[in-house]
Amino acid sequence: MNHRAPAAAPLLLALVLLGAGCSGGVEGTPGAAGVRDPYFPGLGNGGYDVTHYGLELDVEPAADRLRGTATITARATQDLSAFHLDLAGLDVESATVEGKPAAVNRAGKELTIRPGGAVEDRLRKGRTFTTVVRYSGAPQTITDPDGSKEGWLRTADGAVALGEPTGSMAWFPGNHHPSDKATYDIEVTAPDPLTAVSNGQLVSRSTAGSRTSYHWRTAEPMASYLATVAVGRFTTQQSRTPDGIRLFTAVDPESAAASKDVLARIPDVLAWAAEKFGPYPFTSAGAVVERTGDSTYALETQNRPVFPGPPDTALLVHELAHQWFGNSVTPATWRDMWLNEGFATYAEWLWAADHDGVPVRESFDEAYEDDANWAFPPAAPPTAVELSDAPVYGRGAMVVHRLRLAIDDDKAFFALVRGWTKAHRHGNASTDDFTAYVEQETGQDLTGLWDAWLYGESRPPEEG
């Protein structure tokens, strides 16, 4: 975990003097490098909010090369003399701010951009501005604190980009903290016969020579860790659910036969989840299924989760439930990840109860008896290493069920859940937001529940 700090003043002054088109008229102060996330303090950046990413990517999987142009539209939240972008590896060729050349300094995974231009071009608080960064190189695979791999992962026939929690900086520059969500246009050009799949809806597809460009658009806000690009030999299928959600699935031919029946259940799972959690928050859905071994875990990338081989129904339910919990209602910081995983795991328990005859109480009891779920409180993983460990999932789901028992009225409980996803639709929410919302809506003081099940260090009595 690297704490990235603003560049020193002398270096910034030098950049002003050296940057093409700089006149010394830019005023304000540099935006912060990092937003002080509890586990990744250097992740993200201060001083601006991104509203839109326009990414043009040219991919050569065989040569392990990526050439990109990122057009970033943002709103200044302070008077800015400079600002930061997160980017791991890759060489920055040029940058402009509002069409004028900007000076670029690099320190590890941190880019410092200092706009050029005259005084009237300064980035005042409240101003919307556009930054264009051109870059290229061999995109990196990032090793997480827990040893898992993310970022740009090479597959047998292409590549797949997975971003939780920090991997998206391996393939495009940006404000890579979940608190800064934006809309996206992602255009990927790849050699035939490979297909490029991303988030949202496929806007256009065009071929020039032996290369095809795929333009994907995500109109609803998305955290950068949920952005994906998958390039490979996929069998694709498009359809619509009965209520009009556009479905797009891309499956590696080696996984197609074993995935067919489970993927056919996507419309049923979405309809079932909408009854439990509220209306589906997006206009498109689907899945990307790689061949076994191309990656080692599934990820709830927005609109269409990525699976490391043919999924079973429980895994499909879990990742689709994330479209509500994590993708639409996104954690304010990585400490709030249990809100994603606890609810998605509880969705598995609910599905098993409704479709497989396994009572939720049985799933709860199994989780309760599993010592791994009691290693630490789900709302307070000790370090980033434990961020994806069992308590965040299993004990997180137990918190949800204990809340259901405390309310003691299923109709009221599910109304509460649907109200939560509505209140924070396409936004960010913290654990404190959740507990305050629950107590306000129920009129109950649930301090004992939170202290024992959400924050407690030891295993409370099951019937306590």
CSV table of all heavy atoms in Angstrom, one decimal, residues 324-355:
chain,number,residue,atom,x,y,z
A,324,TRP,N,-27.1,-4.6,-7.5
A,324,TRP,CA,-27.8,-3.7,-6.5
A,324,TRP,C,-26.8,-3.3,-5.4
A,324,TRP,O,-26.7,-2.1,-5.1
A,324,TRP,CB,-29.0,-4.4,-5.9
A,324,TRP,CG,-30.2,-4.6,-6.7
A,324,TRP,CD1,-31.3,-3.8,-6.6
A,324,TRP,CD2,-30.5,-5.6,-7.7
A,324,TRP,NE1,-32.3,-4.3,-7.5
A,324,TRP,CE2,-31.8,-5.4,-8.2
A,324,TRP,CE3,-29.8,-6.7,-8.2
A,324,TRP,CZ2,-32.4,-6.2,-9.1
A,324,TRP,CZ3,-30.4,-7.5,-9.1
A,324,TRP,CH2,-31.7,-7.2,-9.6
A,325,PHE,N,-26.1,-4.3,-4.9
A,325,PHE,CA,-25.3,-4.1,-3.7
A,325,PHE,C,-23.8,-4.1,-4.1
A,325,PHE,O,-23.2,-5.1,-4.3
A,325,PHE,CB,-25.5,-5.2,-2.7
A,325,PHE,CG,-27.0,-5.3,-2.3
A,325,PHE,CD1,-27.7,-6.3,-2.8
A,325,PHE,CD2,-27.6,-4.3,-1.5
A,325,PHE,CE1,-29.1,-6.5,-2.4
A,325,PHE,CE2,-28.9,-4.4,-1.1
A,325,PHE,CZ,-29.7,-5.5,-1.6
A,326,GLY,N,-23.3,-2.9,-4.3
A,326,GLY,CA,-21.9,-2.7,-4.8
A,326,GLY,C,-21.8,-1.9,-6.0
A,326,GLY,O,-21.0,-1.0,-6.1
A,327,ASN,N,-22.7,-2.2,-7.0
A,327,ASN,CA,-22.6,-1.5,-8.3
A,327,ASN,C,-23.5,-0.3,-8.3
A,327,ASN,O,-23.1,0.8,-8.7
A,327,ASN,CB,-22.9,-2.5,-9.4
A,327,ASN,CG,-21.9,-3.6,-9.5
A,327,ASN,OD1,-21.2,-3.9,-8.6
A,327,ASN,ND2,-22.0,-4.4,-10.6
A,328,SER,N,-24.8,-0.5,-7.9
A,328,SER,CA,-25.6,0.7,-7.8
A,328,SER,C,-25.4,1.4,-6.5
A,328,SER,O,-25.1,2.6,-6.5
A,328,SER,CB,-27.1,0.3,-7.9
A,328,SER,OG,-27.9,1.4,-7.8
A,329,VAL,N,-25.5,0.7,-5.4
A,329,VAL,CA,-25.1,1.3,-4.1
A,329,VAL,C,-23.7,0.9,-3.8
A,329,VAL,O,-23.4,-0.2,-3.4
A,329,VAL,CB,-26.1,0.8,-3.0
A,329,VAL,CG1,-25.7,1.5,-1.7
A,329,VAL,CG2,-27.5,1.0,-3.3
A,330,THR,N,-22.8,1.8,-4.0
A,330,THR,CA,-21.4,1.5,-4.0
A,330,THR,C,-20.8,2.0,-2.7
A,330,THR,O,-21.2,3.0,-2.1
A,330,THR,CB,-20.7,2.3,-5.2
A,330,THR,OG1,-21.3,1.9,-6.4
A,330,THR,CG2,-19.2,2.0,-5.2
A,331,PRO,N,-19.8,1.2,-2.1
A,331,PRO,CA,-19.2,1.6,-0.8
A,331,PRO,C,-18.6,2.9,-0.9
A,331,PRO,O,-17.9,3.3,-1.9
A,331,PRO,CB,-18.3,0.5,-0.5
A,331,PRO,CG,-17.9,-0.2,-1.9
A,331,PRO,CD,-19.2,0.0,-2.7
A,332,ALA,N,-18.7,3.7,0.2
A,332,ALA,CA,-18.0,5.0,0.3
A,332,ALA,C,-16.5,4.8,0.4
A,332,ALA,O,-15.8,5.6,-0.1
A,332,ALA,CB,-18.6,5.7,1.5
A,333,THR,N,-16.1,3.8,1.2
A,333,THR,CA,-14.7,3.4,1.3
A,333,THR,C,-14.6,1.9,1.2
A,333,THR,O,-15.6,1.2,1.3
A,333,THR,CB,-14.0,4.0,2.6
A,333,THR,OG1,-14.5,3.1,3.7
A,333,THR,CG2,-14.4,5.4,2.9
A,334,TRP,N,-13.4,1.4,1.1
A,334,TRP,CA,-13.2,0.0,1.1
A,334,TRP,C,-13.5,-0.7,2.4
A,334,TRP,O,-13.7,-1.9,2.5
A,334,TRP,CB,-11.8,-0.4,0.6
A,334,TRP,CG,-11.8,-0.2,-0.9
A,334,TRP,CD1,-11.0,0.7,-1.6
A,334,TRP,CD2,-12.5,-1.0,-1.9
A,334,TRP,NE1,-11.3,0.6,-3.0
A,334,TRP,CE2,-12.1,-0.4,-3.2
A,334,TRP,CE3,-13.4,-2.1,-1.8
A,334,TRP,CZ2,-12.7,-0.9,-4.3
A,334,TRP,CZ3,-13.9,-2.6,-3.0
A,334,TRP,CH2,-13.5,-2.0,-4.3
A,335,ARG,N,-13.6,0.1,3.5
A,335,ARG,CA,-14.0,-0.5,4.8
A,335,ARG,C,-15.5,-0.9,4.7
A,335,ARG,O,-15.9,-1.8,5.5
A,335,ARG,CB,-13.8,0.5,5.9
A,335,ARG,CG,-14.2,0.0,7.3
A,335,ARG,CD,-13.8,1.0,8.4
A,335,ARG,NE,-12.3,0.9,8.6
A,335,ARG,CZ,-11.6,1.9,9.1
A,335,ARG,NH1,-12.1,3.0,9.5
A,335,ARG,NH2,-10.3,1.7,9.3
A,336,ASP,N,-16.3,-0.4,3.8
A,336,ASP,CA,-17.7,-0.7,3.7
A,336,ASP,C,-18.0,-1.9,2.8
A,336,ASP,O,-19.1,-2.1,2.4
A,336,ASP,CB,-18.4,0.6,3.3
A,336,ASP,CG,-18.1,1.8,4.1
A,336,ASP,OD1,-18.3,1.7,5.3
A,336,ASP,OD2,-17.7,2.8,3.5
A,337,MET,N,-17.0,-2.6,2.5
A,337,MET,CA,-17.2,-3.7,1.5
A,337,MET,C,-18.1,-4.8,2.0
A,337,MET,O,-18.8,-5.5,1.1
A,337,MET,CB,-15.8,-4.3,1.1
A,337,MET,CG,-15.9,-5.3,0.0
A,337,MET,SD,-14.2,-5.7,-0.5
A,337,MET,CE,-14.4,-7.4,-1.1
A,338,TRP,N,-18.3,-4.9,3.3
A,338,TRP,CA,-19.2,-5.9,3.7
A,338,TRP,C,-20.7,-5.7,3.3
A,338,TRP,O,-21.5,-6.6,3.1
A,338,TRP,CB,-19.2,-6.0,5.3
A,338,TRP,CG,-20.0,-4.9,5.9
A,338,TRP,CD1,-19.6,-3.7,6.3
A,338,TRP,CD2,-21.4,-5.0,6.3
A,338,TRP,NE1,-20.7,-3.0,6.9
A,338,TRP,CE2,-21.8,-3.8,6.9
A,338,TRP,CE3,-22.4,-6.0,6.2
A,338,TRP,CZ2,-23.1,-3.5,7.3
A,338,TRP,CZ3,-23.7,-5.8,6.7
A,338,TRP,CH2,-24.0,-4.6,7.2
A,339,LEU,N,-21.0,-4.4,3.0
A,339,LEU,CA,-22.3,-4.1,2.5
A,339,LEU,C,-22.5,-4.7,1.1
A,339,LEU,O,-23.6,-5.0,0.7
A,339,LEU,CB,-22.5,-2.5,2.4
A,339,LEU,CG,-22.7,-1.8,3.7
A,339,LEU,CD1,-22.6,-0.3,3.5
A,339,LEU,CD2,-24.1,-2.2,4.2
A,340,ASN,N,-21.4,-4.8,0.3
A,340,ASN,CA,-21.5,-5.5,-1.0
A,340,ASN,C,-21.6,-7.0,-0.8
A,340,ASN,O,-22.6,-7.7,-1.2
A,340,ASN,CB,-20.2,-5.3,-1.8
A,340,ASN,CG,-19.9,-3.9,-2.1
A,340,ASN,OD1,-20.6,-2.9,-1.6
A,340,ASN,ND2,-18.9,-3.6,-2.9
A,341,GLU,N,-20.7,-7.6,0.0
A,341,GLU,CA,-20.5,-9.0,0.0
A,341,GLU,C,-21.5,-9.7,1.0
A,341,GLU,O,-22.0,-10.8,0.8
A,341,GLU,CB,-19.1,-9.4,0.4
A,341,GLU,CG,-18.0,-8.9,-0.5
A,341,GLU,CD,-18.2,-9.4,-2.0
A,341,GLU,OE1,-19.0,-10.3,-2.2
A,341,GLU,OE2,-17.5,-8.8,-2.8
A,342,GLY,N,-21.9,-9.0,2.1
A,342,GLY,CA,-22.9,-9.5,3.0
A,342,GLY,C,-24.2,-9.7,2.3
A,342,GLY,O,-24.9,-10.7,2.5
A,343,PHE,N,-24.7,-8.7,1.6
A,343,PHE,CA,-26.0,-8.7,0.9
A,343,PHE,C,-25.9,-9.7,-0.2
A,343,PHE,O,-26.9,-10.4,-0.5
A,343,PHE,CB,-26.4,-7.4,0.5
A,343,PHE,CG,-27.2,-6.6,1.5
A,343,PHE,CD1,-26.6,-5.6,2.2
A,343,PHE,CD2,-28.5,-6.9,1.7
A,343,PHE,CE1,-27.4,-4.9,3.2
A,343,PHE,CE2,-29.3,-6.2,2.6
A,343,PHE,CZ,-28.7,-5.2,3.4
A,344,ALA,N,-24.8,-9.8,-1.0
A,344,ALA,CA,-24.7,-10.7,-2.1
A,344,ALA,C,-24.7,-12.2,-1.6
A,344,ALA,O,-25.3,-13.1,-2.2
A,344,ALA,CB,-23.5,-10.4,-2.9
A,345,THR,N,-24.1,-12.4,-0.5
A,345,THR,CA,-24.1,-13.7,0.1
A,345,THR,C,-25.5,-14.1,0.7
A,345,THR,O,-26.0,-15.2,0.5
A,345,THR,CB,-23.0,-13.8,1.3
A,345,THR,OG1,-21.7,-13.5,0.7
A,345,THR,CG2,-23.0,-15.2,1.9
A,346,TYR,N,-26.1,-13.1,1.3
A,346,TYR,CA,-27.5,-13.3,1.8
A,346,TYR,C,-28.4,-13.6,0.6
A,346,TYR,O,-29.4,-14.4,0.8
A,346,TYR,CB,-28.0,-12.1,2.6
A,346,TYR,CG,-29.2,-12.4,3.4
A,346,TYR,CD1,-29.1,-13.3,4.5
A,346,TYR,CD2,-30.4,-11.8,3.2
A,346,TYR,CE1,-30.1,-13.6,5.3
A,346,TYR,CE2,-31.5,-12.1,4.0
A,346,TYR,CZ,-31.4,-13.0,5.0
A,346,TYR,OH,-32.5,-13.4,5.8
A,347,ALA,N,-28.2,-13.0,-0.6
A,347,ALA,CA,-29.0,-13.3,-1.7
A,347,ALA,C,-28.9,-14.8,-2.1
A,347,ALA,O,-29.9,-15.4,-2.5
A,347,ALA,CB,-28.6,-12.4,-2.9
A,348,GLU,N,-27.7,-15.4,-2.0
A,348,GLU,CA,-27.5,-16.8,-2.2
A,348,GLU,C,-28.4,-17.6,-1.2
A,348,GLU,O,-29.0,-18.6,-1.6
A,348,GLU,CB,-26.0,-17.2,-2.0
A,348,GLU,CG,-25.1,-16.7,-3.0
A,348,GLU,CD,-23.7,-17.2,-2.8
A,348,GLU,OE1,-23.5,-18.5,-2.8
A,348,GLU,OE2,-22.8,-16.4,-2.5
A,349,TRP,N,-28.4,-17.2,0.1
A,349,TRP,CA,-29.2,-17.9,1.0
A,349,TRP,C,-30.7,-17.8,0.7
A,349,TRP,O,-31.5,-18.8,0.8
A,349,TRP,CB,-29.0,-17.3,2.4
A,349,TRP,CG,-27.6,-17.5,3.0
A,349,TRP,CD1,-26.5,-18.0,2.3
A,349,TRP,CD2,-27.1,-17.0,4.2
A,349,TRP,NE1,-25.4,-18.0,3.1
A,349,TRP,CE2,-25.7,-17.4,4.3
A,349,TRP,CE3,-27.7,-16.4,5.3
A,349,TRP,CZ2,-25.0,-17.1,5.4
A,349,TRP,CZ3,-26.9,-16.1,6.4
A,349,TRP,CH2,-25.6,-16.5,6.5
A,350,LEU,N,-31.1,-16.6,0.3
A,350,LEU,CA,-32.5,-16.4,-0.1
A,350,LEU,C,-32.9,-17.3,-1.3
A,350,LEU,O,-34.0,-17.9,-1.4
A,350,LEU,CB,-32.8,-14.9,-0.4
A,350,LEU,CG,-32.7,-14.0,0.8
A,350,LEU,CD1,-32.8,-12.5,0.3
A,350,LEU,CD2,-33.8,-14.2,1.8
A,351,TRP,N,-32.0,-17.3,-2.3
A,351,TRP,CA,-32.3,-18.1,-3.5
A,351,TRP,C,-32.4,-19.6,-3.1
A,351,TRP,O,-33.3,-20.3,-3.6
A,351,TRP,CB,-31.2,-17.9,-4.5
A,351,TRP,CG,-31.4,-18.7,-5.8
A,351,TRP,CD1,-30.9,-20.0,-6.0
A,351,TRP,CD2,-32.1,-18.4,-7.0
A,351,TRP,NE1,-31.3,-20.5,-7.2
A,351,TRP,CE2,-32.0,-19.5,-7.9
A,351,TRP,CE3,-32.8,-17.2,-7.3
A,351,TRP,CZ2,-32.6,-19.4,-9.1
A,351,TRP,CZ3,-33.3,-17.2,-8.6
A,351,TRP,CH2,-33.3,-18.3,-9.5
A,352,ALA,N,-31.5,-20.1,-2.3
A,352,ALA,CA,-31.5,-21.5,-1.9
A,352,ALA,C,-32.8,-21.8,-1.1
A,352,ALA,O,-33.3,-22.9,-1.3
A,352,ALA,CB,-30.3,-21.8,-1.0
A,353,ALA,N,-33.3,-20.9,-0.3
A,353,ALA,CA,-34.5,-21.1,0.4
A,353,ALA,C,-35.7,-21.1,-0.6
A,353,ALA,O,-36.6,-22.0,-0.4
A,353,ALA,CB,-34.7,-20.0,1.4
A,354,ASP,N,-35.7,-20.2,-1.6
A,354,ASP,CA,-36.9,-20.2,-2.5
A,354,ASP,C,-36.9,-21.2,-3.6
A,354,ASP,O,-37.9,-21.6,-4.1
A,354,ASP,CB,-36.9,-18.8,-3.2
A,354,ASP,CG,-37.3,-17.7,-2.2
A,354,ASP,OD1,-37.7,-18.0,-1.1
A,354,ASP,OD2,-37.2,-16.5,-2.6
A,355,HIS,N,-35.7,-21.7,-3.9
A,355,HIS,CA,-35.6,-22.6,-5.1
A,355,HIS,C,-35.0,-24.0,-4.8
A,355,HIS,O,-35.2,-24.9,-5.6
A,355,HIS,CB,-34.7,-22.0,-6.2
A,355,HIS,CG,-35.3,-20.7,-6.7
A,355,HIS,ND1,-35.1,-19.5,-6.1
A,355,HIS,CD2,-36.0,-20.5,-7.8
A,355,HIS,CE1,-35.7,-18.6,-6.8
A,355,HIS,NE2,-36.3,-19.1,-7.9
